[in-house]
């Protein structure tokens, strides 16, 4: 069964790069344009993992993770932050909110796939 990954980023070019990388590896991809849109999609549909940016309008990544963890569909879903930010304080907040990991942009396709395979399998 194909795994479904939700990618949430306000940058269309980042969403496109993540989508193409994941689809080429055989994953289904759903896209969210900001944290609120991502939260709505993550709670309406069961996804196997979420990749979320930190700095977005309407709801930032950490806020989205916190809200997702409060919803039944968000329990146990692996979340990885993909952001230009790299401060330890933000990483700690993300972990406390329920993120499994943090990747810094720009990213390589190999690294992104390695992280996703680690959290959801091939």
């Amino acid at each position: 069964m194909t795994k479904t990954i939700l990618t949430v980023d306000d940058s269309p070019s980042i969403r496109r790069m993540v989508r193409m990388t994941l689809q080429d590896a055989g994953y289904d991809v759903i896209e969210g344009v900001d944290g609120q849109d991502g939260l709505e999609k993550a709670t309406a549909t069961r996804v196997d993992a979420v990749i979320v940016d930190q700095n977005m309008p309407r709801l930032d990544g950490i806020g989205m993770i916190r809200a997702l963890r409060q919803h039944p569909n968000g329990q146990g879903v692996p979340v990885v932050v993909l952001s230009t930010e790299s401060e330890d304080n933000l990483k700690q907040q993300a972990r406390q909110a329920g993120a499994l990991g943090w990747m810094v942009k720009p990213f390589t396709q190999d690294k992104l796939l390695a992280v996703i395979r680690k959290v959801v399998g091939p």
Side-chain angles (χ1 to χ4, degrees):
M1 180 179 221
T2 304
K3 307 276 182 162
T4 301
I5 312 298
L6 171 64
T7 181
V8 185
D9 200 303
D10 57 322
S11 166
S13 62
I14 295 292
R15 286 196 315 271
R16 185 171 42 254
M17 247 188 330
V18 171
R19 181 187 70 239
M20 290 175 13
T21 299
L22 294 174
Q23 285 177 336
D24 287 350
Y27 296 100
D28 286 337
V29 179
I30 300 171
E31 296 181 35
V33 299
D34 60 38
Q36 187 61 44
D37 183 47
L39 178 63
E40 290 166 8
K41 289 177 176 171
T43 56
T45 286
R46 187 74 180 155
V47 296
D48 296 293
V50 176
I51 300 170
V52 63
D53 186 20
Q54 169 53 24
N55 296 318
M56 297 181 290
R58 297 205 304 157
L59 186 62
D60 68 14
I62 292 171
M64 184 196 146
I65 296 165
R66 286 184 181 129
L68 180 62
R69 292 299 185 223
Q70 299 300 313
H71 192 279
N73 282 355
Q75 302 300 311
V77 175
V79 178
V80 176
V81 179
L82 177 63
S83 178
T84 56
E85 303 286 340
S86 61
E87 291 84 24
D88 288 338
N89 179 42
L90 281 175
K91 292 177 183 179
Q92 182 178 5
Q93 288 179 49
R95 276 192 299 276
Q96 289 171 345
L100 281 183
W102 189 288
M103 292 180 59
V104 178
K105 296 176 194 172
F107 64 93
T108 66
Q109 292 178 323
D110 289 344
K111 172 132 186 188
L112 178 66
L113 287 174
V115 169
I116 290 302
R117 286 180 178 130
K118 185 174 182 178
V119 298
V120 300

